[in-house]
Amino acid sequence: MITLAEENYLKAIFHLELESQGEVSTNAIAESMETKPSSVTDMVQRLAEKKMLIYKRYKGAQLTEKGRKIAIGVIRKHRLWEVFLVEKLNFHWDEVHDIAEQLEHVQSDELITRLDKYLGSPDFDPHGDPIPDKHGVLKRTEKKLLSELDKNQGGVCVGVKESSGEFLKYLDKKKIAIGTKIIVLGKEFFDGSMVIQVGDEQFFISIKIAENLYVQTI
Amino acid sequence: MITLAEENYLKAIFHLELESQGEVSTNAIAESMETKPSSVTDMVQRLAEKKMLIYKRYKGAQLTEKGRKIAIGVIRKHRLWEVFLVEKLNFHWDEVHDIAEQLEHVQSDELITRLDKYLGSPDFDPHGDPIPDKHGVLKRTEKKLLSELDKNQGGVCVGVKESSGEFLKYLDKKKIAIGTKIIVLGKEFFDGSMVIQVGDEQFFISIKIAENLYVQTI
DNA sequence: ATTTATTTTTAGACAAAACTAAAAATATGT
DNA sequence: ACATATTTTTAGTTTTGTCTAAAAATAAAT
């Protein structure tokens, strides 16, 4: 049996491992979970006993295969519920996080299997983050053109193909820079135009823009 | 703030109050929650301090308006989620209880408002139990003919209109007696025939049966 | 009414998950 | 390298919710 708190720790450690290679520090976990380092030490030791991570004192934590599986399972549930909240209950994409944070802890494999099917097995959540499949495989892709992204997929801007002053000025006006996250909210088949989300703003772009912007998918 | 355990106690006490008037005994609560009487005493004292119920030692507990409101809120959430699981995710009616037991504790008024609307504001859950409205009002109806019930509504058999031997023998064969719970799973408009659930069995009945059976709706 | 049985409560422990304060280990700066 | 700063851990409490065992109150029985 796994507790709610344990699931949250595993999830947080998983995310931190993505950002920086190797062991995750006690302080980093404490900060990301808004708790005290001493509490983290406690929990991390418990999780190490349960073989969900490897912990070396003063060095940090590293998920085991078992721990990573659980973390990815929680993330899969979180993102599927976010899709449900936005697509079926018409929540706005930025209102769903706290609710999904609760729903992700409901324990029932059958529920998630059916929810996934009901939602049409989506690949991305409303924030553009990829949804792991039932085997825990995360679609980890490389640099792409923005125009290659699908609906609901997101990426971080990593460069431009064309670098004319006009184009850069346009990007500046739209507050797109290296490191800016972009989510595809909609895509038109016949002309490749898109509606994208940048920060709080949603706007329309033509295929000419989308074909000249490189993004790193998550 | 209210905890998960507190919600479960309030819900259990609410159900016990329906079955027997007046105060609910410590032992009764312990039995219905599958826990020890000493634990119940503890929790009931905490809930009394929070003004969710009135507790007199050695006498039992009685919900206050505040406590009852919370209990009904939890029951509303439970039953709405059950409808979701059956109608949208195609679960069978007898598989959904444990999952709804978890979903009922997700805290978000907006979520429930939207879920209710999404499901078409149903009046009854898949077990035929009534769903309290957003103000906590439970559709508490009186004795009716089975034929007057709507789809998904349930009732307890309280008597017959016609009492011929043939009819009673039929009821006996179908294991329907005073106190038996009946749920309407489907209703045909043009002839008033129904598919009903009795215990584990589901079967078809004609309007002649439905018009001669009194039920007490829940 | 007084003993017996049942119910309920108290007292004391425990586990999970958090905290504070202090100690220990590691990292940094000159 | 050595003092200082930072990070991490330990030790000791707290809260929530549970338990067991024993005591107290209430109910039942002869």
Side-chain angles (χ1 to χ4, degrees):
Chain A
M1 249 306 82
I2 183 136
T3 71
L4 193 144
E6 287 170 344
E7 286 193 342
N8 283 332
Y9 271 93
L10 293 175
K11 191 179 50 149
I13 294 167
F14 179 85
H15 284 308
L16 290 168
E17 278 188 349
L18 287 186
E19 284 168 27
S20 56
Q21 327 294 70
E23 291 94 351
V24 177
S25 80
T26 303
N27 253 15
I29 299 170
E31 197 186 351
S32 96
M33 300 207 47
E34 298 183 300
T35 182
K36 302 287 157 171
S38 56
S39 309
V40 173
T41 302
D42 250 16
M43 177 57 94
V44 157
Q45 286 173 345
R46 262 201 300 278
L47 291 172
E49 269 174 33
K50 294 194 178 185
K51 309 281 181 208
M52 290 169 186
L53 50 78
I54 291 159
Y55 163 68
K56 298 199 200 89
R57 46 200 237 299
Y58 293 104
K59 288 215 68 185
Q62 214 170 349
L63 293 183
T64 61
E65 201 47 46
K66 184 180 173 190
R68 183 164 24 252
K69 266 225 163 113
I70 296 170
I72 289 177
V74 175
I75 289 166
R76 171 168 159 81
K77 289 193 274 179
H78 182 105
R79 294 183 178 168
L80 281 173
W81 280 117
E82 285 199 342
V83 173
F84 168 72
L85 294 171
V86 169
E87 305 261 296
K88 302 296 185 182
L89 299 195
N90 298 116
F91 274 98
H92 193 253
W93 68 285
D94 60 359
E95 303 174 308
V96 296
H97 187 268
D98 290 350
I99 299 173
E101 201 82 350
Q102 298 179 67
L103 288 165
E104 74 188 8
H105 299 292
V106 172
Q107 305 281 11
S108 166
D109 290 347
E110 186 63 22
L111 172 61
I112 295 308
T113 302
R114 287 175 185 252
L115 181 64
D116 178 57
K117 189 175 289 174
Y118 179 56
L119 299 172
S121 299
D123 289 323
F124 301 97
D125 78 10
H127 301 97
D129 295 316
I131 299 173
D133 70 16
K134 74 186 77 178
H135 308 294
V137 178
L138 250 172
K139 224 164 252 157
R140 185 161 255 302
T141 49
E142 337 74 84
K143 197 172 76 164
K144 279 183 175 175
L145 287 172
L146 178 55
S147 55
E148 297 175 73
L149 298 199
D150 296 325
K151 188 190 170 197
N152 273 339
Q153 192 170 6
V156 173
C157 174
V158 291
V160 291
K161 194 171 175 186
E162 198 204 280
S163 58
S164 70
E166 295 302 318
F167 184 45
L168 296 180
K169 214 175 289 172
Y170 171 84
L171 295 180
D172 198 49
K173 198 171 73 189
K174 291 301 196 179
K175 301 216 181 73
I176 298 173
I178 303 295
T180 304
K181 186 165 179 181
I182 298 169
I183 305 159
V184 178
L185 298 178
K187 196 171 174 179
E188 207 55 69
F189 271 112
F190 70 95
D191 67 353
S193 67
M194 291 175 159
V195 176
I196 63 171
Q197 174 93 34
V198 177
D200 283 345
E201 312 271 322
Q202 301 178 0
F203 51 88
F204 178 92
I205 59 168
S206 70
I207 187 150
K208 194 158 182 196
I209 306 292
E211 273 179 339
N212 282 292
L213 208 54
Y214 281 118
V215 290
Q216 168 82 50
T217 53
I218 319 121
Chain B
M1 250 310 77
I2 185 137
T3 71
L4 192 144
E6 285 171 346
E7 285 193 342
N8 283 333
Y9 271 93
L10 293 175
K11 193 178 50 153
I13 294 167
F14 179 85
H15 285 306
L16 290 168
E17 278 188 350
L18 287 186
E19 283 167 27
S20 58
Q21 328 294 69
E23 291 94 351
V24 176
S25 82
T26 303
N27 254 13
I29 299 170
E31 197 186 351
S32 95
M33 299 206 49
E34 299 183 299
T35 182
K36 302 288 157 173
S38 56
S39 308
V40 174
T41 303
D42 250 16
M43 177 57 93
V44 156
Q45 287 173 343
R46 262 201 299 278
L47 291 172
E49 268 174 33
K50 293 194 177 185
K51 310 280 181 209
M52 290 170 185
L53 49 78
I54 291 159
Y55 162 68
K56 297 198 202 89
R57 45 200 240 300
Y58 293 103
K59 289 216 66 186
Q62 214 171 350
L63 293 182
T64 60
E65 201 47 45
K66 184 180 171 188
R68 180 159 31 248
K69 267 226 165 111
I70 295 170
I72 289 177
V74 175
I75 290 166
R76 172 168 160 79
K77 288 193 275 179
H78 182 105
R79 295 184 178 167
L80 282 173
W81 280 118
E82 285 199 342
V83 173
F84 169 72
L85 294 171
V86 170
E87 305 261 298
K88 302 296 184 182
L89 299 194
N90 300 115
F91 274 100
H92 194 253
W93 67 285
D94 60 359
E95 303 174 308
V96 296
H97 187 268
D98 290 350
I99 300 173
E101 201 83 349
Q102 298 180 65
L103 288 165
E104 75 189 7
H105 299 293
V106 173
Q107 305 282 9
S108 166
D109 290 347
E110 185 64 21
L111 171 62
I112 295 309
T113 302
R114 286 173 186 254
L115 181 64
D116 179 58
K117 188 175 290 175
Y118 180 57
L119 299 171
S121 297
D123 289 323
F124 302 96
D125 77 12
H127 301 96
D129 296 316
I131 300 174
D133 70 15
K134 70 187 79 178
H135 309 294
V137 178
L138 252 172
K139 222 164 254 159
R140 184 162 256 303
T141 50
E142 336 73 85
K143 197 173 76 166
K144 280 183 175 175
L145 287 171
L146 178 55
S147 56
E148 297 175 72
L149 298 199
D150 296 325
K151 187 192 170 195
N152 274 339
Q153 193 170 4
V156 173
C157 174
V158 291
V160 290
K161 195 171 176 185
E162 200 201 277
S163 58
S164 70
E166 297 300 318
F167 185 45
L168 295 179
K169 214 175 288 173
Y170 171 84
L171 294 180
D172 199 48
K173 199 172 71 190
K174 292 299 196 180
K175 301 216 180 76
I176 298 172
I178 303 295
T180 304
K181 186 164 178 180
I182 299 168
I183 305 159
V184 178
L185 297 177
K187 197 172 174 179
E188 207 55 67
F189 271 112
F190 71 95
D191 69 351
S193 67
M194 289 176 160
V195 176
I196 63 171
Q197 174 94 34
V198 177
D200 284 345
E201 310 273 322
Q202 301 179 358
F203 51 88
F204 177 91
I205 59 168
S206 71
I207 189 151
K208 194 158 181 193
I209 306 291
E211 272 179 341
N212 281 292
L213 208 55
Y214 282 116
V215 290
Q216 168 83 48
T217 53
I218 317 123

